[in-house]
Amino acid sequence: MSEYLLDMRGIVKDFNGVKALNGIDLKVKAGECVGLCGENGAGKSTLMKVLSAVYPHGTWEGQIFWEGQELKAQTIRETEEAGIVIIHQELMLVPQLSVAENIFMGNEIKLPGGIMNYSAMYKRAEELMRELKLPDVNVALPVFNYGGGHQQLIEIAKALNKKAKLLILDEPTSSLTKTETEILLDIIRDLKKKGVACVMISHKLDEIAAVCDTISVIRDGAHVGTRPMSGMNTNEIITMMVGREIKNLFPREEHPIGEVFFEAKHVTCVDVNNPARKRVDDVSFQLRKGEILGVAGLVGAGRTELAMAIFGCYPGDYQAELWLDGKQIKVDSPRAAVNQGICLVPEDRKRHGIVPLQGVGANITMAVLNKFTKFGVIDASAEMHQIQQSIARMRVKTASPNLPIKGLSGGNQQKAVVSKMLLPNPKVLILDEPTRGVDVGAKYEIYKLMFELVKQGLSIIMISSELPEVLGISDRVLVIGEGQLRGDFVNDGLTQETVMTAALGQAIKQVA
């Protein structure tokens, strides 16, 4: 009997002649947590899709041994029955169904005659919620009643209910708060004690270091190395991932900051589901030419709603008085915002940033098609020239500009969305969580691009849940808490403690 629960040998997978995986090995013992690290597009998610039979046996080369026997699964159901359960980066929940119905989807408990045994399913779902430290969740309510963090933990409950022997977690904390993240890391530790193995894909290397026993790094589809976590630090992992040492994760560059260039006054957004509540409550701020303005705050504070109101796409009732370069402007739609020189890279790129089945190139140029149109006909040659320039500038990894963008890794999709929003030549660029789900190498490239843009006179508003990122990149920091402006700080000696104190409503507002 093998000492390994899972033994993947020489896995090769190509798409249209381009090798996404080129001879990858991965071994996992029972009760072990392996951190699978690599840049966006390195092949991490592809490898896990091979393992879980999203790509069935026969569509790839190599061998998979599971509990000492060769595994040749054709369907996800086969791998789940074996005990291999994957939780994808994009949640696979049905919002209109209840928490319990989502947990038991495809594995329902039934009474004689095929009738659903809701009583038994509710009881088991409540047990799982308590196990995940979510005792207040009503398992009979539809999933859409709960936020992204709760939904991520509901997805994990669904996996635990399938009696997983190996749990694959693809960016599991990308939508979790710090408290929810700690709960998840504790759950992983408990699972390890029970003999459950985990493969964790995450760009948050501090979380990898906290729970993983072993680190396995892949780069450009090739296996770089596997080492015990105990003998490594995060800087060494980064060096293995990107093939070079990144000494400063935040490549701050000096740049000139001019006079006030943009103003938002009295921005107010009414909660779509509760008219008595304001998601943004009379927020006003200024932005200078060539400035990076960081926007910090706890999840649900109203930061994204603020950005949506400025961009003219908040779904409920809102008001916003906007001034650009000394003139009041009217923005009542995204098109109007773009025409006025305001562009937004949205927080949820899957829902609001891309058209999944369209090509990478078509996604990049969709906001400026009029530039390539003459007498109603698109100049395909000029459009392709621009697409190739944008792909090269942002180093978007794609086999072809015509490949559907849904086939790209999350980080490369993000680069494509940023490229799209740069083509209209904005004067103000709003970046909402620009590095979420993006590896350290790609983050570095995005930061360098931001400094390149502000040196050219562009003004940037960056919303981020990562305080080190806010403090590492911003010239000034706005703090939003419960829909209100609670701080406006010059980023000179500013600390995380000061920002958090302001976010919690305990600091005196200091206007820069």
Side-chain angles (χ1 to χ4, degrees):
M1 187 74 177
S2 171
E3 66 173 308
Y4 295 104
L5 178 70
L6 171 71
D7 186 355
M8 303 180 77
R9 302 178 187 173
I11 305 298
V12 176
K13 173 69 179 172
D14 68 71
F15 298 97
N16 301 318
V18 177
K19 277 191 168 64
L21 301 174
N22 192 10
I24 299 285
D25 296 334
L26 182 69
K27 294 177 170 63
V28 187
K29 298 176 182 177
E32 180 184 30
C33 185
V34 174
L36 186 59
C37 300
E39 293 188 87
N40 288 114
K44 307 181 299 293
S45 295
T46 301
L47 183 65
M48 293 301 96
K49 287 176 180 176
V50 166
L51 172 58
S52 58
V54 172
Y55 301 133
H57 183 266
T59 64
W60 44 269
E61 300 172 34
Q63 291 178 293
I64 299 175
F65 290 90
W66 175 252
E67 297 185 305
Q69 302 294 317
E70 189 169 3
L71 182 68
K72 298 181 179 181
Q74 293 294 314
T75 65
I76 295 173
R77 182 172 286 277
E78 283 182 61
T79 56
E80 287 186 348
E81 287 174 353
I84 302 168
V85 181
I86 183 168
I87 298 175
H88 295 279
Q89 184 175 356
E90 310 303 329
L91 299 181
M92 310 290 280
L93 300 173
V94 180
Q96 291 77 16
L97 294 182
S98 72
V99 172
E101 287 168 330
N102 271 280
I103 289 173
F104 281 91
M105 193 183 303
N107 297 282
E108 295 84 358
I109 302 174
K110 296 180 180 178
L111 294 165
I115 300 169
M116 296 277 202
N117 188 344
Y118 276 101
S119 176
M121 288 195 292
Y122 286 162
K123 183 180 178 183
R124 174 60 180 151
E126 286 168 354
E127 288 173 0
L128 288 165
M129 291 299 100
R130 285 194 294 273
E131 192 175 328
L132 295 176
K133 300 181 176 64
L134 295 174
D136 296 331
V137 169
N138 185 339
V139 298
L141 283 180
V143 159
F144 67 69
N145 284 281
Y146 298 99
H150 277 60
Q151 288 187 23
Q152 179 72 65
L153 295 174
I154 290 166
E155 188 77 80
I156 290 166
K158 189 166 125 185
L160 294 179
N161 191 51
K162 292 172 182 173
K163 310 242 179 331
K165 296 178 183 176
L166 172 65
L167 191 59
I168 303 164
L169 301 156
D170 192 352
E171 296 291 348
T173 65
S174 61
S175 59
L176 300 188
T177 64
K178 188 172 182 179
T179 302
E180 290 166 338
T181 295
E182 285 302 323
I183 291 171
L184 175 59
L185 297 181
D186 283 341
I187 289 164
I188 293 172
R189 293 183 186 103
D190 289 342
L191 289 172
K192 286 164 60 179
K193 290 174 185 174
K194 295 173 183 174
V196 177
C198 295
V199 174
M200 184 171 172
I201 300 172
S202 178
H203 297 309
K204 297 179 180 179
L205 299 184
D206 54 334
E207 295 168 10
I208 289 280
V211 294
C212 293
D213 308 291
T214 306
I215 302 297
S216 193
V217 177
I218 58 178
R219 187 195 316 145
D220 297 327
H223 184 212
V224 175
T226 298
R227 298 183 191 172
M229 184 64 234
S230 58
M232 296 192 71
N233 58 45
T234 54
N235 287 335
E236 290 171 323
I237 299 173
I238 290 169
T239 301
M240 288 177 71
M241 284 171 57
V242 301
R244 64 191 186 279
E245 187 177 359
I246 297 180
K247 293 183 178 178
N248 182 6
L249 290 178
F250 304 109
R252 192 169 180 80
E253 297 177 16
E254 291 301 318
H255 54 276
I257 297 175
E259 298 298 315
V260 172
F261 184 70
F262 173 78
E263 288 186 83
K265 299 180 180 179
H266 311 300
V267 181
T268 300
C269 300
V270 177
D271 193 308
V272 176
N273 299 312
N274 181 6
R277 181 189 176 203
K278 293 178 181 177
R279 298 302 301 270
V280 180
D281 189 2
D282 195 24
V283 170
S284 301
F285 67 91
Q286 297 178 330
L287 175 68
R288 292 173 173 82
K289 193 172 184 68
E291 181 179 41
I292 299 177
L293 178 64
V295 182
L298 301 174
V299 172
R303 298 166 304 165
T304 292
E305 290 80 3
L306 177 67
M308 293 172 79
I310 293 170
F311 194 61
C313 64
Y314 182 71
D317 291 334
Y318 73 97
Q319 65 181 49
E321 181 185 325
L322 305 179
W323 293 74
L324 185 66
D325 202 12
K327 298 176 182 176
Q328 188 170 359
I329 59 173
K330 183 180 179 182
V331 173
D332 53 11
S333 69
R335 173 57 62 190
V338 171
N339 289 341
Q340 294 284 2
I342 301 172
C343 287
L344 168 70
V345 174
E347 175 186 24
D348 189 339
R349 59 177 169 264
K350 294 286 185 185
R351 288 178 60 200
H352 303 129
I354 63 170
V355 179
L357 295 178
Q358 276 200 327
V360 177
N363 270 275
I364 289 173
T365 57
M366 66 171 59
V368 291
L369 276 179
N370 59 308
K371 287 188 178 181
F372 311 108
T373 305
K374 198 170 185 179
F375 305 118
V377 178
I378 294 175
D379 184 339
S381 175
E383 183 190 13
M384 183 54 67
H385 179 69
Q386 179 61 71
I387 288 168
Q388 289 171 338
Q389 278 190 329
S390 294
I391 287 174
R393 181 185 190 186
M394 289 299 294
R395 299 184 189 175
V396 181
K397 290 182 182 176
T398 178
S400 162
N402 299 317
L403 180 76
I405 197 167
K406 72 183 183 78
L408 268 59
S409 68
N412 282 297
Q413 288 179 14
Q414 183 74 339
K415 289 181 184 180
V417 176
V418 172
S419 296
K420 175 180 72 173
M421 287 290 89
L422 288 178
L423 285 187
N425 295 318
K427 299 169 184 174
V428 174
L429 180 63
I430 306 171
L431 301 170
D432 193 354
E433 302 288 0
T435 64
R436 175 172 288 172
V438 172
D439 64 73
V440 287
K443 281 183 180 181
Y444 188 83
E445 290 172 12
I446 289 172
Y447 299 148
K448 294 284 282 185
L449 174 67
M450 289 170 66
F451 285 112
E452 176 189 320
L453 293 171
V454 292
K455 283 178 180 177
Q456 296 168 8
L458 185 72
S459 301
I460 293 177
I461 299 171
M462 180 187 72
I463 299 168
S464 176
S465 298
E466 305 289 334
L467 277 183
E469 179 173 79
V470 172
L471 298 178
I473 296 298
S474 307
D475 300 303
R476 196 159 50 91
V477 178
L478 296 183
V479 182
I480 307 293
E482 296 180 337
Q484 298 177 334
L485 179 62
R486 287 183 169 164
D488 185 342
F489 303 99
V490 173
N491 189 14
D492 184 7
L494 187 60
T495 65
Q496 293 190 43
E497 289 75 17
T498 301
V499 173
M500 281 304 298
T501 304
L504 295 168
Q506 297 172 12
I508 298 171
K509 186 164 76 172
Q510 168 207 330
V511 180

